[in-house]
Amino acid sequence: MTTASATPAATPAAPAAVRATVHGYPRQGPRRELKKAVEGYWKGRVQADELHDTAARLRREAWQQLAAAGLTEVPTGGFSYYDHVLDTSVMLGAVPARHRAAHDADPLDGYFAMARGTQDVAPLEMTKWFDTNYHYLVPELGPDTVFAADARAQLAQYREAAALGLAARPVLVGPVTYLLLAKPAPDAGPGFEPLTLLDRLLPAYARVLAELRAAGAQWVQLDEPALVQDRTPAELNAAARAYRELGRLTDRPKLLVASYFDRLGQALPVLAAAPVEGLALDFTGRAAANLEDLAAAGGIPGKRLVAGVVDGRNVWANDLRRSLTTLGTLLGLAGQVDVAASCSLLHVPLDVAAERALDPQVARWLSFARQKTAETATLARGLAGGTEVIAAELAANRAALASRAGSALTHDPAVRARAAAVTEADARRALPYAERSGAQRARLGLPLLPTTTIGSFPQTGELRTARADVRAGRIDEAAYEDRIAAEIREVIGFQEKAGIDLLVHGEPERNDMVQYFAEQLTGYLATQHGWVQSYGTRYVRPPILAGDISRPEPMTVRWTSYAQSLTGLPVKGMLTGPVTMLAWSFVRDDQPLGETARQVALALRDEVADLEAAGTSVIQVDEPALRETLPLRAADHAAYLAWATEAFRLSTAGARPDTQIHTHMCYAEFGDILRAIEDLDADVISLEAARSHMQVARELAGAGYPREVGPGVYDIHSPRVPSAEEAVALLRKGLEAIPAERLWVNPDCGLKTRGWPETRTSLEHLVSAARTLRAELPTT
């Protein structure tokens, strides 16, 4: 295996001009202008032309910034209003029948209806994009799906970039990945596999390619990240057939087939042998194995290799010398080597320079999208001209890496000693579930089909204003806390009136379910402008986990106890689990993830103990990221799940037997981790199920899951209000799989992004549905 040396010799000059590029770029704009324009359009405050103008301006500015940073080829097609996979469905004419009339009447409104739903029509299902925190809209395909190419949006973006005098490369989701990500439409019938539509799909791609070539595109990138997952021989054969057919087209641009997030494995020789002009490969993290595999396969002589050596998913400054060593090795394995980030920069914030509150010494450790484009351009210059032409950049980079490695922030001996002393017994509760469940039911006294919510309630305009005012110094901390207390009183009062059984305090004090905790733990850094798209117009500011983790003082006890003082019903304590604290942060890359997770788990264990001491009888430790962080290759699953489930248990195992531990997961495919869900040893798990029509309840039942389950009956990612009858129908499906004594009634996820009117009505319907079914159940 080829490894990087600490002090490489000067890189050999490349045989041709080296291009620098990226696969994609953040969409939102420096002040989240696109989010504001789209939401303004939904509310009727922004007209369609104004929305289009804002998006065009943001695209233009982004491309110009990329060119100014030294990139010689810019990507187009990725500046989506909501989601690039949904854009692909529209490009291919794969609009579900229930949305067809709306889309034909007004393509923009129809597009957003597919993403968000309407009061009468359900949206497309949403799930995680591989092992990231980005969500995509799942295509729905069936035996009757007819593909019809519509490349207008892709052509428009390409022409905009070309008009600026830029070398532009359209980027599309590849046909194999598109079909592998799709799900059968509701009327598809048993046994239907979307991949069987490949021969029907390829002519649509052929037409799009021909139209892009006619517009002047020299290269088109087809993204095939699904090929880095374990694939069957049939799926690999489908990939070979797809690129054999597309490669043989005479009326097309040059094709660059891209993969990222992991090693290609058996798919590498398939793509290397395809009649396409180039491959784009990831050489960071787990995907570093692509280097050895490419060498073993004899490389791709005569073809272009776009080498992803700048990590597009994390925020740490690149080790330029190490990357140059990798690039130097690759020079002998391809006809042309160009430099790129490993994947789209959609997954990182825009600009470190905007973070003026960060210690400058720490800021130099970091690299956001703009800095990564600069690193990419620097590496391209170094590869083309040798290390001497970038000597100043190499020296500054070496100093930044040394500063981080020697910082006291990254090493706390007390934290490390405590983590090293953990034993297997520390991660096991005192009694097994079968023995503690009766004690919990006796303590709580809840009815059959108990109702609850996931945690957060709508963040009102008054609350956001108060948060902005306290940051700006317009109000003092006491006034802000009065606002928090008022919000909690309103949330508790509503839940009591609505008839909800297990209450929450609504989390008005929390800006984000990860950031809130990160700001109270040592070892984390917070940003002011580090926004990253999660889905649609939902953006988050992932904190940066830079050092060893500890909890100086209780984080949630005050407001949970205040809420409990307002009611005689139980109120859940709400925590974010250790895996999610890592997955939704930018995590240090200088030690194994399992070690970092154990540190976070011990901090949460202390919080659980303090909540119990304050009288909290139910504590929810959310782990929505457990599935999304699952490695893409099955061979890597066991090691990940071992430390991930241990970290959760370490967080919760100190709880008393009669304290009920809940966890929550959402918007992922859960079938791969059913055993791990049981290994968490939570007493109750709530999961997304509304859009998937209770699929997860059936999966858990099939796996013999013995604990309590709350499959969601209210899709909170849509403004649509479900009727009580719909909730009843979903619960009936749930009861077919989970017995009533173990079934909970709850929404899919937290309610932070919803408005109060729709939340009130939806939860009232949820309670009504539970009462309807309780009345039908036999009494004991």
Side-chain angles (χ1 to χ4, degrees), residues 39-93:
E39 291 179 348
Y41 177 76
W42 293 342
K43 295 174 181 178
R45 297 198 299 258
V46 172
Q47 298 302 307
D49 288 346
E50 185 180 352
L51 171 59
H52 294 318
D53 289 345
T54 297
R57 175 178 60 80
L58 293 173
R59 289 194 297 268
R60 181 175 65 252
E61 292 173 354
W63 289 324
Q64 290 172 331
Q65 288 164 2
L66 292 175
L71 298 198
T72 49
E73 187 179 56
V74 300
T76 67
F79 286 90
S80 174
Y81 286 135
Y82 202 96
D83 167 49
H84 61 281
V85 181
L86 178 59
D87 295 352
T88 306
S89 292
V90 172
M91 180 189 80
L92 298 171

Side-chain angles (χ1 to χ4, degrees), residues 348-359:
V348 296
L350 186 59
D351 190 4
V352 174
E355 303 302 329
R356 293 184 173 86
L358 278 179
D359 180 342

Side-chain angles (χ1 to χ4, degrees), residues 262-406:
D262 211 321
R263 59 195 182 278
L264 266 172
Q266 291 180 305
L268 179 56
V270 172
L271 295 181
V276 299
E277 288 73 23
L279 299 183
L281 303 181
D282 183 353
F283 293 99
T284 67
R286 293 190 302 263
N290 277 329
L291 177 57
E292 184 177 6
D293 292 347
L294 187 64
I300 48 172
K303 294 187 178 183
R304 179 186 184 189
L305 174 64
V306 175
V309 293
V310 174
D311 191 341
R313 292 182 57 178
N314 215 325
V315 295
W316 304 108
N318 184 266
D319 185 335
L320 296 179
R321 284 188 173 271
R322 184 179 296 274
S323 293
L324 280 173
T325 299
T326 299
L327 291 166
T329 303
L330 291 171
L331 285 176
L333 297 176
Q336 168 72 27
V337 176
D338 296 325
V339 185
S342 61
C343 61
S344 172
L345 299 180
L346 172 74
H347 305 291
V348 296
L350 186 59
D351 190 4
V352 174
E355 303 302 329
R356 293 184 173 86
L358 278 179
D359 180 342
Q361 182 71 8
V362 173
R364 65 197 290 223
W365 306 347
L366 303 176
S367 177
F368 293 177
R370 287 191 182 176
Q371 288 70 40
K372 289 181 185 295
T373 60
E375 290 173 338
T376 301
T378 295
L379 289 166
R381 288 193 295 115
L383 184 62
T387 54
E388 60 274 9
V389 303
I390 58 168
E393 290 93 334
L394 289 173
N397 177 247
R398 186 164 57 250
L401 297 177
S403 167
R404 180 184 169 207

Side-chain angles (χ1 to χ4, degrees), residues 647-667:
F648 181 91
R649 294 194 309 272
L650 187 59
S651 303
T652 59
R656 292 167 25 182
D658 63 348
T659 296
Q660 193 171 70
I661 298 295
H662 288 225
T663 191
H664 169 67
M665 300 179 190
C666 59
Y667 292 95

Side-chain angles (χ1 to χ4, degrees), residues 456-459 464 510-512 538 750-754:
S456 63
F457 264 68
Q459 297 250 327
R464 290 193 178 96
R510 304 186 188 184
N511 44 15
D512 175 83
R538 169 71 169 148
L751 301 165
K752 176 182 176 181
T753 61
R754 299 272 54 92

Side-chain angles (χ1 to χ4, degrees), residues 36 53 174 257 347 355 386 395 437 554 601 613 696 737:
K36 296 168 186 175
D53 289 345
V257 182
H347 305 291
E355 303 302 329
S437 60
V696 70

Side-chain angles (χ1 to χ4, degrees), residues 563-581:
Q564 187 65 77
S565 73
L566 301 174
T567 179
L569 296 172
V571 176
K572 284 193 283 190
M574 301 297 305
L575 306 176
T576 301
V579 176
T580 301
M581 288 295 297

